[in-house]
Amino acid sequence: MKNQSVTNNLDWMSIAIFAILVIMGWLNIYSSSLSSIEQETSIFDFTQIYGKQFMFILLTIPLIFVVLSVDGKFYEKFSSVIYVIGLLSLAGLYVFGKTIKGQANWYSFGSFGIQPSEFVKAATALALAKYLSDVQVNLKDLNRQIQALGILFLPILLIVPHDPGSAIIFCVFILVLYREGLPSWYVWTGFIALILFVLALIIKPLLLTGIALVVILFIYYRSRIINRNWILSALIFIMIGGFVFSVDYVFVNVFKQHHRDRFNILLGKEVDMKGIGYNTNQSEIAIGSGGWFGKGYLEGTQTKGGFVPEQHTDYIFTTVGEEWGFIGCLFVIALFLCLIMRIIYLAERQKTKFSRVYGYCVAGVLFIHFFVNIAMVAGIFPTIGVPLPFFSYGGSGLWGFTILLFIFLKMDANKVNEW
């Protein structure tokens, strides 16, 4: 009877949006994987990209039932175990990982591959929710801040060498920590560091440091005398100066060549439309060519001509832009925003802190993926290999996002049994 009540209390609005996104994603994968000389073929041709994705979608159905059949308390009770298993799966890539396109972030099982970083997002969200739901945790305490950030940065450190794009996604959890009491200066420091990093690639370090000094002096003298602290101001200046002068070293010696090329093109320092900038340029052409209403499903000339490389993965949104037009793009964006806002709404209704924090983690992960991917294909963000949830080709991504979402929907449905 208890299980029946939980099933009845599933949020069917979220499930409906999820289903629409998955179906629309497959339709666009089908279109993007057909060349101009191919005729429409069977969706059960598992040798083709669209056939494989269809198989992944079919396997998602029993996966959802498994996630929903597990007792809601299981995820909270065993969150630490799930997190440790996730970390071990990332560490194992250094020994058993298969290198694909220069990145050893896959486990290979014959013709089938699993990308563990897609599943570790849910594991990290569970671990953070468990830690923050402890009654003794107060994020105003420095030790607690370090421990919470440690949970976040451990998977980042393991992922960065293989897949920097996926590692960036984990930074969204800082906003969840801020929501739960992390001092705001952490967020502002990260935001300012990002701006300084970009500016240091455009402006000479000495000039940028001078500008920073002027800003700091202006703030210092505009502050009330009682609030002035020249030691703190000097320390901030030294830290900014050190960071600015280290950017060039990091950019040259830590970033890989293709990462440097993508930043340079985005910043207008290099124009290479036939080389590293080809993907972004063709992506912009494809989206722009769709006009208001698109060229029609299966009628995209850029899509059929294969002008956008890897269009079925990170650049799947270009198919939407070309064949469905501006209106189609708005519809897809609206669906994502509705799902994210719905999750936030459900998170606020939770009776336990664990469920609420996990809900915010789910919303954060979906939003950062959605935002970065669309900004990437629109040419306003470097290409870093971030898939569009439920849309981009790949079993690991689809299953990872599905697990992430349906664990929360299970928690939400189970709140009828919470006290």
Side-chain angles (χ1 to χ4, degrees):
M1 189 69 180
K2 180 178 178 180
N3 290 336
Q4 181 64 35
S5 65
V6 170
T7 303
N8 290 341
N9 283 280
L10 282 172
D11 186 64
W12 291 103
M13 180 181 293
S14 297
I15 294 175
I17 297 174
F18 160 81
I20 294 171
L21 288 172
V22 170
I23 292 171
M24 289 189 67
W26 183 85
L27 288 173
N28 284 279
I29 289 172
Y30 180 78
S31 178
S32 65
S33 57
L34 286 176
S35 69
S36 58
I37 60 174
E38 286 180 319
Q39 300 296 321
E40 298 176 29
T41 57
S42 171
I43 60 176
F44 299 105
D45 185 354
F46 297 132
T47 63
Q48 301 296 325
I49 289 172
Y50 51 81
K52 292 178 181 177
Q53 187 68 12
F54 187 73
M55 179 183 65
F56 296 150
I57 293 172
L58 291 178
L59 292 175
T60 300
I61 298 174
L63 176 63
I64 291 173
F65 279 104
V66 170
V67 172
L68 294 178
S69 66
V70 175
D71 185 76
K73 287 294 183 182
F74 172 88
Y75 299 111
E76 181 176 3
K77 184 177 181 181
F78 292 96
S79 57
S80 298
V81 176
I82 295 172
Y83 177 69
V84 171
I85 292 174
L87 293 180
L88 291 175
S89 70
L90 293 176
L93 290 173
Y94 290 88
V95 180
F96 305 107
K98 179 181 179 181
T99 301
I100 299 178
K101 297 178 183 178
Q103 296 179 333
N105 52 359
W106 295 81
Y107 287 112
S108 179
F109 303 95
S111 60
F112 185 72
I114 288 289
Q115 189 175 4
S117 61
E118 297 294 346
F119 302 95
V120 176
K121 295 165 190 172
T124 304
L126 287 170
L128 276 178
K130 177 63 175 177
Y131 180 76
L132 295 176
S133 61
D134 191 320
V135 293
Q136 298 180 341
V137 170
N138 182 355
L139 287 180
K140 301 299 181 184
D141 187 316
L142 180 60
N143 288 331
R144 295 298 188 180
Q145 295 170 15
I146 294 174
Q147 291 169 4
L149 291 172
I151 294 173
L152 165 60
F153 283 109
L154 273 176
I156 290 178
L157 292 175
L158 290 170
I159 293 172
V160 161
H162 300 309
D163 189 1
S166 294
I168 292 175
I169 296 301
F170 283 77
C171 293
V172 76
F173 290 128
I174 293 178
L175 296 179
V176 178
L177 295 177
Y178 170 68
R179 165 67 176 75
E180 296 300 320
L182 187 72
S184 60
W185 69 264
Y186 280 95
V187 178
W188 283 110
T189 299
F191 182 69
I192 292 172
L194 178 62
I195 293 176
L196 286 174
F197 183 88
V198 174
L199 289 177
L201 297 176
I202 303 172
I203 304 173
K204 295 293 184 181
L206 189 60
L207 176 59
L208 184 57
T209 304
I211 294 173
L213 176 60
V214 171
V215 172
I216 291 172
L217 290 175
F218 177 78
I219 295 174
Y220 179 83
Y221 284 108
R222 290 287 293 178
S223 302
R224 292 186 300 174
I225 295 178
I226 194 173
N227 294 330
R228 293 178 183 176
N229 187 330
W230 70 268
I231 296 178
L232 178 61
S233 298
L235 181 61
I236 292 175
F237 173 71
I238 292 172
M239 292 176 63
I240 290 176
F243 178 80
V244 168
F245 277 93
S246 69
V247 167
D248 185 64
Y249 176 83
V250 172
F251 190 68
V252 173
N253 296 283
V254 177
F255 280 32
K256 295 181 180 179
Q257 184 60 47
H258 63 278
H259 295 142
R260 293 195 294 269
D261 291 338
R262 288 164 180 168
F263 268 97
N264 286 333
I265 290 171
L266 184 67
L267 297 174
K269 299 175 71 174
E270 291 183 9
V271 179
D272 181 14
M273 296 309 178
K274 294 183 179 180
I276 194 67
Y278 179 81
N279 287 25
T280 301
N281 183 50
Q282 293 299 322
S283 171
E284 294 173 1
I285 292 173
I287 292 177
S289 67
W292 282 96
F293 301 102
K295 298 175 181 177
Y297 185 57
L298 301 178
E299 299 297 331
T301 53
Q302 294 292 118
T303 297
K304 289 294 169 289
F307 289 101
V308 184
E310 303 298 327
Q311 191 171 10
H312 57 284
T313 56
D314 301 337
Y315 286 89
I316 190 62
F317 194 70
T318 61
T319 307
V320 178
E322 183 179 23
E323 298 189 347
W324 303 68
F326 181 72
I327 300 301
C329 289
L330 284 183
F331 180 70
V332 171
I333 290 172
L335 283 175
F336 274 107
L337 292 179
C338 285
L339 179 60
I340 293 167
M341 294 303 297
R342 182 66 181 175
I343 293 170
I344 293 174
Y345 168 74
L346 295 177
E348 287 292 339
R349 297 196 315 172
Q350 299 307 301
K351 295 181 179 180
T352 67
K353 188 174 182 179
F354 175 80
S355 299
R356 187 185 76 241
V357 173
Y358 181 79
Y360 273 101
C361 288
V362 174
V365 170
L366 292 178
F367 174 77
I368 195 68
H369 265 275
F370 154 74
F371 176 79
V372 170
N373 179 272
I374 292 182
M376 187 177 70
V377 300
I380 58 177
F381 201 87
T383 301
I384 57 175
V386 173
L388 187 61
F390 314 121
F391 252 72
S392 295
Y393 169 80
S396 295
L398 176 61
W399 297 335
F401 289 122
T402 299
I403 291 171
L404 181 76
L405 174 62
F406 276 87
I407 286 178
F408 175 64
L409 294 182
K410 172 66 177 187
M411 293 177 184
D412 177 66
N414 194 58
K415 70 178 180 295
V416 297
N417 301 311
E418 301 287 355
W419 295 93

